[in-house]
Amino acid sequence: MDALDEKANGGPPMEVEEIVSVHDHDAFAAKHMPDLGHEVKDFKVFSWRLNNWKKLEKKITGPDFECGGHKWRILLFPFGNSNAPPNDTVSVYLDYADPKRAPEGWHACAQFALVISNIHDPTIYTVSHAHHRFIAEECDWGFTRFSELRKLFSVQDGHTRPTIEDESADVSVFVRVLEDPTGVLWHNFVNYDSKKETGYVGLKNQGATCYMNSLLQSLYCTRYFRKAVYQIPTEDDHPTESVALALQRVFYHLQTSDQPVGTTELTKSFGWKSLDSFLQHDVQEFNRVLQDKLESKMKNTKAEGAIQKLFVGKMKSYIKCVNVDFESSRIEDFNDIQLNVKGMKNLYESFKDYVAVETLDGENKYMAEGYGLQEAKKGIIFQSFPPVLHLQLKRFEYDIQRDAMVKINDRHEFPFEIDLGEFLEESADRTHPWVYKLHGVLVHSGDLHGGHYFALIKPDRETRWLKFDDDRVTPVTDREVLEENYGGEVMNGGTVPPMQRTQVRAMKRFTNAYMLVYVRESAIDDVLAPWKDEDTPAHLKRRLEEERLQMEAKKREREEQHLYLTAKVITDQTFSDHEGFDLASFDERNWPATDLPSFRVLKNEPYSTFKARIAQHFNTPENQIRLWVLVNRQNKTVRPDTHIPENEPQLTVEVIRSNMAVRQQNDLRLYLDIISDPTHPEIPAGSIMIFLKHFDIANQKLNGVGKVYVPRASKVSDLIPIINERMRWTASTPLKLYEEIKPGMIEIMKSKLTFTQSEIQDGDIICFQVDMNEKELHDYEAQGLYSNPVQYYDFLQNRVMILFKPKFEETDMEHPEFHLTLSKKHNYDIMSAKVGERLNWDPIKLRFTTTHSNGTAKAVLKRSLNQSIQEIMSPAYVSPQTTVILYEKLDVSIVELETKRSLKVIWTGIHNKEESTHPFLLPKTNSVHDLAVELTKHVKLTPTGTGKIRVFEVSKDGKTQKEFTGSEMIGNIPDPVELYAEEIPQEELSADDADKVISVFHFSKEVSRTHGVPFRFVVKPGEKFSETKKRLQARIGVNDKDFAKYRFALIQVATFKQPSYIEDDDTIYDHKFAPEDVLGLDHVDKSGKTRTGAGEKAIVIRG
């Protein structure tokens, strides 16, 4: 049975005491079939009388009946079906009759109650209800354990008769077939195809990027915006470095793909590491930062001004006197409007609240220039709304009692259409009505600390509403757009029975709209214009089509991989270039594999065809080629073993691999033996093939010098004249010969023995060096060089490749990034000497730091310990990737460092901007004042300034400076420390007793999201904030355009850090400042140096 237990749907069977008759169909259905909130297409009741229960078949089906255009029947197992214990339960299901005759892809959504009742008294019954989407794969649904048989046959409490009396009972089914306007009601989404069902595809979630996905889909469906993004020239960009190109690519894939689209390329172009993708961010902040970035990319292109035109409106903040003709006002642009949800019934009320007028009277009168204190009206009025209006619903607010941000889940209604004309000033252009249609609803489900985001979008006038939920796109009903995202607690107008309502409410309670997108009715045809083929740039189509073809070729290659194997070929040239064990490196732990000529070969390719390919590749006649198969010997070496026979026409590459290359990897490893005299291709009888390596003591190198055939019975010493001739040395040059048996086993050979006596076989390696006297060898050893192959092979066995990188500086000519080959047995001093030699820097003035596996600094290496490289590298728990060591070029010796303190100071100058970082190495007994004096030698002070520097730390919350007195010894400053320094402004130094010096800090929307560096600022008595602002702007050196976006708030300890925003006519001097009270500058963080109290990072997009 495909059916599930009653546990899955609708709870356990209910023995019901209230007197409702099975024959009273409407009352019975109202009692036992809760309203699920869907329109009912058809309702039918079917009853089936059964007698002689105990003699019934094990499985029986009732007569067919029709409901909602579908044929149904009851499926009954009078003694339980095979999944249940036999003979003690009844199993009963609603069965879709004859599904094979139904049209392909059919489905039916039905709510049903199955009932067994007494034939004489229809108020005695057992019932269970459920609902299900009936499809071909799941065409029956119901209850395996409907009831125990003994209960049905016996009289239950409160009844006078059993349900099954005299072995007879009525089995009934109440069926409601429900309307399914979206086609996805109760869909399990197995094999669901978004593109086929809706014409749209979703975006993959990278971890916590559903907030980004919902916004991207909304922007994608704003076709004017998509068109503008496509107009940014990106032909020469790289997708992981250019936000514009990466976004174009995402949009293009959304247009053309039939699978969900990835966004990794896009987040990489933002400069995000994978961790950033797992942090949930604020959509509004993400939207602003993304649009700022795109706006700058659109400058001087066809798309310039598109964002301004689409999303930017104008509002006016004003204070107007009641009794005199005086008005102070400021006009600002806005990209979105933040509306209150708390205490507001609907969107209209939120707008009314936004433009509500406040009266300034009594003690709160307004100081009007030239008129003194006056009664005044203060408020905001809109001058224009943009064609695409982004409304941020303030679902996240600060709760003073809890001293924390909380999510507001109150009910807040919004309409499909709203007329905003009344919120515009009288002089606004009313050529077209200011009627707006709902285009998108961005929804958050969850609480403050996480949850899920999705978007509901109506892409154009004709298309229905769709839900974009990460990788899935589904049609939705109007109710799912509006009612289900208003928030609030009660569902279905309170019609759900108590037991069920609690379940539904708990689930829905935290799901509500937090951002609405409205499009002006008169602009819809422009903003959501039908997409034309020429709107997509040709260069993008071309580029992505090429990539698609490459991807398909790679996919094909992967799918056919099992038909192929890789053949790797060692040649005399690769052997000559190889410096290591064997003829090539294959699987060494600390060394990369040798780059060998590789061939992708069909496993069933005849050897003759393969050999012809090899001959062609190496430009050598086929009759001069012999191929040897390499095998893994038991001693872990990889050597040529036998050559491939030429006279077997049936031989395939796969047969060679499985029969000749025993215990071999997936690849086939071969040696290319070039036959010098094709007229005599045979290997001389009784001879063996030996490979030769030369240990060059002077250059400290070990290289292959080809191979040689020697008779087995000849003596080892017979090899010496052959080698001298090959090396073009004089015949009398004395040589020492060693056999390379395996790593760690290199043995000197006895020249008088034969090769047979020395147990030499095909593929063995003999290493030679010129014999030297003791003094010469001693001279080499005195220089720290290897004097024989045994020592050099030991080095090879212990060699490691280490990557050295500059610790603080960007890589350049002075601070290169480079690899060095060292032995694990080398110590710190040898390492620093070799690095010093590479950098042309005194080794004693180098300091090294080990790294974590992700490349970040771990610990400074102490020279005094003189550790070995093995100790420096360990512990290698992970598979060894390249070891990375960071270096610093110091001005002093490391020995001196022991008595000195290394500090970094971030210089913020006179304008509170992070200008530069300065490292210092000073005696630990120096004071902070001495540090300031040193700093003056490295930074540029204002010519007419105070010439004074303040050194400070930043408080943990990022709101204030912690200044040093100057007398502290730098050796006593706790580690780690982040030091800042700034030039003290003239204004602060010359402040008199009447002035107040306060702390100012930067934040973005929430007080806890601080960024930048706090600073000190002088507040003057009687100064209006409009004047204070001018001095503030001069103090931080921000241009007018950016400064216009700043908001200013007073953060008081007494009000639990809740910001109170300041107007131009306030005089902040009059505020009684407590020591911790500060002025906050609320603006978008463009630095990326966020110090969020909540452990959140600011969104920064770099590409």
Side-chain angles (χ1 to χ4, degrees):
M1 286 291 97
D2 283 335
L4 292 188
D5 261 353
E6 63 275 3
K7 289 175 192 164
N9 290 293
M14 294 179 280
E15 318 286 337
V16 179
E17 290 172 13
E18 293 92 334
I19 298 174
V20 179
S21 166
V22 176
H23 296 164
D24 188 348
H25 294 170
D26 292 341
F28 190 90
K31 181 172 181 53
H32 294 294
M33 297 169 73
D35 179 3
L36 299 178
H38 302 287
E39 197 181 326
V40 178
K41 182 178 180 181
D42 196 4
F43 173 59
K44 284 277 166 60
V45 181
F46 177 78
S47 281
W48 177 30
R49 172 81 42 105
L50 289 170
N51 300 310
N52 296 318
W53 191 284
K54 289 182 180 171
K55 291 184 181 157
L56 293 172
E57 298 286 320
K58 282 185 178 176
K59 171 183 174 181
I60 52 175
T61 48
D64 293 0
F65 65 94
E66 195 273 339
C67 180
H70 302 275
K71 286 208 167 142
W72 308 88
R73 63 188 180 183
I74 295 169
L75 170 61
L76 178 73
F77 294 79
F79 313 104
N81 85 5
S82 55
N83 296 336
N87 305 327
D88 63 358
T89 59
V90 172
S91 305
V92 60
Y93 307 89
L94 175 61
D95 188 27
Y96 192 93
D98 204 1
K100 289 189 174 64
R101 288 202 185 164
E104 194 185 345
W106 69 272
H107 77 275
C109 295
Q111 180 190 18
F112 59 93
L114 286 157
V115 194
I116 299 180
S117 60
N118 184 287
I119 59 171
H120 306 296
D121 183 349
T123 64
I124 297 173
Y125 55 80
T126 299
V127 59
S128 267
H129 72 82
H131 63 267
H132 182 62
R133 180 185 181 91
F134 288 82
I135 54 174
E137 294 78 19
E138 290 179 346
C139 55
D140 55 40
W141 204 256
F143 308 98
T144 303
R145 293 177 180 80
F146 178 79
S147 177
E148 290 177 44
L149 259 180
R150 60 177 183 79
K151 285 189 178 176
L152 296 175
F153 274 97
S154 56
V155 178
Q156 298 298 304
D157 287 350
H159 291 167
T160 54
R161 333 171 74 123
T163 306
I164 302 177
E165 190 173 357
D166 300 332
E167 291 199 44
S168 298
D170 285 331
V171 182
S172 309
V173 63
F174 289 65
V175 182
R176 281 186 192 137
V177 172
L178 303 177
E179 294 285 5
D180 179 13
T182 62
V184 292
L185 181 61
W186 305 330
H187 203 302
N188 62 13
F189 295 108
V190 175
N191 302 323
Y192 177 78
D193 184 336
S194 294
K195 186 81 166 197
K196 186 174 152 198
E197 301 297 335
T198 67
Y200 289 81
V201 293
L203 289 165
K204 293 175 190 166
N205 189 341
Q206 282 186 52
T209 53
C210 46
Y211 75 92
M212 177 179 80
N213 290 352
S214 59
L215 182 77
L216 289 176
Q217 290 281 18
S218 168
L219 294 173
Y220 168 76
C221 290
T222 309
R223 292 176 190 159
Y224 189 98
F225 176 81
R226 192 197 322 171
K227 197 168 168 181
V229 168
Y230 277 159
Q231 286 172 338
I232 303 171
T234 56
E235 286 92 328
D236 305 322
D237 291 6
H238 192 278
T240 56
E241 290 156 16
S242 158
V243 171
L245 176 57
L247 191 58
Q248 287 176 350
R249 289 164 70 92
V250 168
F251 282 178
Y252 184 80
H253 286 312
L254 284 173
Q255 245 170 257
T256 57
S257 175
D258 53 7
Q259 295 298 319
V261 175
T263 54
T264 321
E265 220 173 53
L266 182 63
T267 55
K268 274 190 184 151
S269 77
F270 296 164
W272 293 3
K273 306 286 181 286
S274 58
L275 174 69
D276 295 297
S277 309
F278 289 93
L279 294 173
Q280 284 219 345
H281 288 301
D282 171 15
V283 174
Q284 180 188 13
E285 184 186 0
F286 173 70
N287 192 18
R288 282 185 184 172
V289 175
L290 179 63
Q291 292 199 9
D292 278 355
K293 174 62 69 178
L294 290 171
E295 203 166 6
S296 67
K297 298 268 183 189
M298 288 175 180
K299 282 206 173 82
N300 305 318
T301 75
K302 271 169 71 180
E304 183 165 13
I307 285 178
Q308 187 81 11
K309 181 184 168 185
L310 260 191
F311 301 113
V312 178
K314 287 192 183 309
M315 62 166 78
K316 180 170 90 173
S317 313
Y318 64 87
I319 299 178
K320 186 174 171 62
C321 292
V322 175
N323 302 315
V324 294
D325 186 17
F326 181 88
E327 181 175 339
S328 159
S329 66
R330 184 174 73 162
I331 292 166
E332 319 177 62
D333 285 350
F334 66 86
N335 287 59
D336 51 28
I337 304 171
Q338 291 198 26
L339 297 172
N340 284 323
V341 168
K342 200 161 184 62
M344 304 294 142
K345 184 167 174 280
N346 55 33
L347 194 63
Y348 178 75
E349 279 191 16
S350 296
F351 266 103
K352 291 283 280 185
D353 170 66
Y354 198 88
V355 300
V357 178
E358 182 189 347
T359 303
L360 306 177
D361 56 8
E363 288 184 6
N364 201 20
K365 277 185 179 168
Y366 170 63
M367 175 63 79
E369 206 173 317
Y371 295 99
L373 288 169
Q374 290 290 331
E375 190 178 321
K377 303 282 186 194
K378 176 181 172 184
I380 288 172
I381 190 80
F382 290 97
Q383 292 192 321
S384 68
F385 293 110
V388 179
L389 183 59
H390 282 174
L391 303 177
Q392 306 286 344
L393 303 182
K394 286 162 80 173
R395 288 277 179 197
F396 300 99
E397 283 202 351
Y398 183 81
D399 184 317
I400 292 178
Q401 271 71 44
R402 298 188 205 177
D403 183 19
M405 297 295 288
V406 293
K407 184 175 177 197
I408 312 276
N409 289 302
D410 300 3
R411 183 177 175 87
H412 182 267
E413 298 173 10
F414 49 90
F416 277 132
E417 182 181 291
I418 188 166
D419 187 342
L420 299 176
E422 69 173 275
F423 307 112
L424 287 162
E425 62 182 10
E426 285 172 24
S427 58
D429 175 6
R430 294 173 194 272
T431 318
H432 299 287
W434 290 91
V435 171
Y436 278 77
K437 295 272 194 187
L438 187 62
H439 165 66
V441 181
L442 274 63
V443 179
H444 178 261
S445 176
D447 62 12
L448 182 74
H449 304 293
H452 183 60
Y453 292 85
F454 59 87
L456 301 155
I457 300 169
K458 189 175 191 322
D460 51 46
R461 288 186 196 272
E462 285 71 43
T463 310
R464 68 177 308 150
W465 278 91
L466 300 172
K467 178 180 182 178
F468 292 80
D469 189 351
D470 282 341
D471 53 7
R472 186 184 299 149
V473 186
T474 52
V476 286
T477 58
D478 288 359
R479 175 192 171 78
E480 285 172 272
V481 176
L482 301 183
E483 178 65 45
E484 292 190 8
N485 298 305
Y486 287 160
E489 302 198 359
V490 181
M491 292 289 297
N492 302 323
T495 58
V496 178
M499 187 188 98
Q500 199 186 5
R501 193 188 311 154
T502 50
Q503 294 168 356
V504 178
R505 261 175 42 189
M507 202 171 65
K508 293 289 183 189
R509 198 169 170 179
F510 304 114
T511 300
N512 37 53
Y514 69 92
M515 179 173 157
L516 304 172
V517 182
Y518 279 90
V519 179
R520 192 175 176 185
E521 166 88 77
S522 58
I524 287 179
D525 294 337
D526 190 22
V527 172
L528 306 179
W531 194 257
K532 297 194 289 293
D533 195 47
E534 59 267 27
D535 293 337
T536 309
H539 75 89
L540 196 64
K541 282 187 194 170
R542 202 167 46 247
R543 189 169 178 168
L544 289 162
E545 186 56 27
E546 281 167 16
E547 284 178 23
R548 189 184 66 77
L549 293 171
Q550 283 169 6
M551 293 265 291
E552 280 181 6
K554 275 188 182 161
K555 187 182 171 193
R556 237 185 351 265
E557 198 173 300
R558 275 198 310 276
E559 286 169 353
E560 294 171 358
Q561 191 56 45
H562 65 286
L563 303 173
Y564 290 83
L565 58 77
T566 303
K568 292 183 175 177
V569 180
I570 295 170
T571 65
D572 288 338
Q573 184 58 52
T574 67
F575 177 50
S576 168
D577 296 339
H578 171 62
E579 191 163 4
F581 293 96
D582 292 334
L583 308 188
S585 297
F586 289 106
D587 307 305
E588 280 190 52
R589 259 197 83 167
N590 291 310
W591 205 252
T594 307
D595 187 16
L596 295 172
S598 294
F599 301 85
R600 189 166 181 255
V601 196
L602 267 170
K603 289 178 181 175
N604 60 5
E605 183 171 299
Y607 172 62
S608 54
T609 312
F610 172 62
K611 186 181 173 187
R613 276 174 66 190
I614 297 285
Q616 188 182 359
H617 179 87
F618 290 105
N619 203 16
T620 307
E622 268 187 71
N623 63 348
Q624 280 187 255
I625 281 177
R626 181 186 296 122
L627 288 168
W628 292 69
V629 178
L630 276 75
V631 298
N632 289 4
R633 291 185 179 175
Q634 282 181 326
N635 66 2
K636 302 282 197 304
T637 57
V638 184
R639 302 286 173 87
D641 184 59
T642 43
H643 60 85
I644 301 169
E646 303 289 335
N647 48 6
E648 295 182 24
Q650 299 308 310
L651 199 60
T652 64
V653 177
E654 170 72 333
V655 170
I656 292 169
R657 183 180 69 164
S658 50
N659 294 355
M660 298 175 74
V662 274
R663 299 190 299 280
Q664 181 114 15
Q665 277 67 16
N666 297 331
D667 48 16
L668 176 61
R669 298 164 183 181
L670 303 167
Y671 166 64
L672 175 66
D673 183 4
I674 302 292
I675 300 163
S676 51
D677 180 4
T679 58
H680 296 90
E682 307 82 21
I683 296 169
S687 64
I688 46 177
M689 179 174 68
I690 293 172
F691 288 85
L692 301 173
K693 285 184 183 178
H694 170 218
F695 174 56
D696 180 348
I697 189 168
N699 293 310
Q700 296 283 291
K701 280 194 168 304
L702 179 76
N703 290 104
V705 287
K707 52 118 183 18
V708 60
Y709 286 103
V710 294
R712 291 174 190 275
S714 62
K715 288 191 174 155
V716 170
S717 55
D718 295 345
L719 205 49
I720 292 174
I722 298 171
I723 292 170
N724 282 335
E725 186 184 337
R726 183 165 292 192
M727 300 303 290
R728 296 183 179 161
W729 294 338
T730 55
S732 59
T733 306
L735 302 179
K736 268 189 171 174
L737 303 182
Y738 298 80
E739 186 191 350
E740 179 191 314
I741 301 169
K742 65 175 186 178
M745 201 177 205
I746 313 299
E747 294 183 352
I748 195 151
M749 298 188 72
K750 293 176 179 160
S751 54
K752 291 182 179 169
L753 296 182
T754 64
F755 288 107
T756 304
Q757 288 167 326
S758 303
E759 297 181 358
I760 298 293
Q761 64 186 71
D762 277 328
D764 279 352
I765 297 169
I766 291 177
C767 175
F768 61 89
Q769 80 174 108
V770 176
D771 199 2
M772 293 184 173
N773 62 41
E774 286 297 318
K775 183 184 179 307
E776 285 176 309
L777 293 174
H778 186 268
D779 286 347
Y780 278 109
E781 286 174 2
Q783 294 175 59
L785 302 174
Y786 303 109
S787 64
N788 62 50
V790 178
Q791 292 172 1
Y792 194 76
Y793 272 111
D794 181 69
F795 159 68
L796 290 180
Q797 193 178 353
N798 288 288
R799 70 180 167 176
V800 284
M801 182 93 76
I802 293 183
L803 174 59
F804 290 89
K805 289 180 170 184
K807 186 169 181 180
F808 297 119
E809 292 79 7
E810 289 292 316
T811 306
D812 57 24
M813 295 285 285
E814 287 292 304
H815 304 90
E817 191 174 291
F818 56 93
H819 286 93
L820 280 185
T821 303
L822 299 169
S823 165
K824 290 185 202 167
K825 293 182 176 179
H826 282 158
N827 57 18
Y828 177 98
D829 286 341
I830 294 176
M831 176 180 82
S832 64
K834 286 186 181 289
V835 174
E837 192 182 327
R838 172 70 178 74
L839 291 171
N840 197 16
W841 197 262
D842 185 349
I844 201 76
K845 290 184 178 176
L846 286 170
R847 179 160 67 165
F848 299 99
T849 305
T850 56
T851 56
H852 294 285
S853 56
N854 62 1
T856 55
K858 186 175 178 183
V860 172
L861 287 173
K862 287 193 166 60
R863 175 179 175 268
S864 54
L865 295 175
N866 204 14
Q867 291 170 290
S868 69
I869 300 290
Q870 173 80 43
E871 291 167 315
I872 289 168
M873 284 174 64
S874 68
Y877 302 123
V878 288
S879 59
Q881 295 151 318
T882 310
T883 300
V884 179
I885 292 180
L886 308 175
Y887 69 85
E888 296 165 79
K889 290 162 88 170
L890 307 174
D891 299 325
V892 292
S893 80
I894 310 184
V895 181
E896 204 183 330
L897 255 188
E898 305 295 319
T899 60
K900 297 200 172 180
R901 176 78 191 267
S902 171
L903 288 167
K904 264 196 318 179
V905 181
I906 297 166
W907 173 246
T908 63
I910 190 81
H911 288 310
N912 185 239
K913 288 184 174 58
E914 290 195 22
E915 294 182 1
S916 50
T917 301
H918 302 275
F920 292 99
L921 185 70
L922 298 168
K924 290 179 180 175
T925 51
N926 271 20
S927 65
V928 171
H929 174 73
D930 298 329
L931 175 64
V933 172
E934 278 299 313
L935 185 62
T936 55
K937 298 172 189 173
H938 298 271
V939 298
K940 204 171 174 187
L941 296 173
T942 315
T944 56
T946 61
K948 293 191 181 305
I949 283 179
R950 170 189 293 126
V951 180
F952 61 95
E953 285 182 84
V954 172
S955 61
K956 272 201 180 75
D957 62 4
K959 293 186 179 63
T960 53
Q961 296 182 350
K962 287 160 70 180
E963 190 180 351
F964 292 97
T965 62
S967 60
E968 299 90 346
M969 275 174 33
I970 62 172
N972 294 337
I973 298 173
D975 221 7
V977 65
E978 199 166 27
L979 294 179
Y980 294 84
E982 65 179 359
E983 183 179 341
I984 300 175
Q986 192 72 54
E987 190 175 61
E988 187 183 329
L989 213 60
S990 55
D992 58 28
D993 292 346
D995 294 337
K996 290 178 184 175
V997 179
I998 63 165
S999 287
V1000 186
F1001 76 101
H1002 307 264
F1003 72 98
S1004 180
K1005 289 190 298 201
E1006 289 170 26
V1007 179
S1008 60
R1009 300 176 77 157
T1010 60
H1011 56 89
V1013 182
F1015 59 97
R1016 305 251 174 109
F1017 182 69
V1018 178
V1019 178
K1020 298 192 172 296
E1023 182 181 69
K1024 283 274 177 275
F1025 193 63
S1026 54
E1027 294 303 311
T1028 310
K1029 265 188 351 195
K1030 289 174 187 166
R1031 289 192 301 108
L1032 257 176
Q1033 186 177 356
R1035 171 76 172 88
I1036 58 176
V1038 173
N1039 65 44
D1040 291 349
K1041 185 187 172 200
D1042 285 343
F1043 198 69
K1045 296 176 185 170
Y1046 279 46
R1047 295 173 73 207
F1048 307 89
L1050 203 55
I1051 316 296
Q1052 297 163 264
V1053 176
T1055 59
F1056 298 96
K1057 311 186 190 71
Q1058 172 70 339
S1060 95
Y1061 283 91
I1062 303 165
E1063 298 297 337
D1064 281 2
D1065 298 290
D1066 294 337
T1067 305
I1068 61 170
Y1069 183 91
D1070 297 343
H1071 170 71
K1072 292 180 175 54
F1073 277 88
E1076 293 89 352
D1077 290 359
V1078 286
L1079 177 64
L1081 308 185
D1082 180 357
H1083 61 103
V1084 170
D1085 170 26
K1086 291 183 179 174
S1087 71
K1089 299 226 182 303
T1090 309
R1091 298 183 175 75
T1092 39
E1096 244 188 82
K1097 287 172 70 178
I1099 297 181
V1100 178
I1101 293 180
R1102 293 192 175 83

